[in-house]
Amino acid sequence: VAAAETALPGAPLYTVGKRSFSAEFYARGQAKTIDANAFPQIAAGAPAAFSVPPDMAPLAEKLGLQNLGAYGRHVLFLGASKSEMN
């Protein structure tokens, strides 16, 4: 969560698939759980941070998200920053 906040301050954090109590705690209740089927569409509307299970990391990379590494049982990815979207 801290890595996502540093890289994209104020951007939303999504957990993909199952609810992550750890992400919710460290994001002070601001992490939102999204369905895996909605992930590609939401990722296209970034900037945002995404906590994904390891088996979904290849899809996140295919979507062009930046891999920040494994944190606990999930891999953290970032969507385009606001400056990259202009």
Side-chain angles (χ1 to χ4, degrees), residues 12-76:
L13 171 64
Y14 296 100
T15 56
V16 180
K18 294 182 180 178
R19 184 176 180 187
S20 171
F21 293 103
S22 176
E24 287 180 21
F25 175 80
Y26 288 108
R28 297 172 296 287
Q30 299 302 307
K32 298 175 181 83
T33 302
I34 60 172
D35 184 83
N37 294 324
F39 175 45
Q41 181 179 7
I42 294 171
F50 300 91
S51 175
V52 304
D55 65 329
M56 292 191 70
L59 173 59
E61 290 173 348
K62 183 177 178 181
L63 294 170
L65 302 179
Q66 178 186 2
N67 185 334
L68 292 186
Y71 291 84
R73 292 176 287 188
H74 287 86
V75 183
L76 184 63

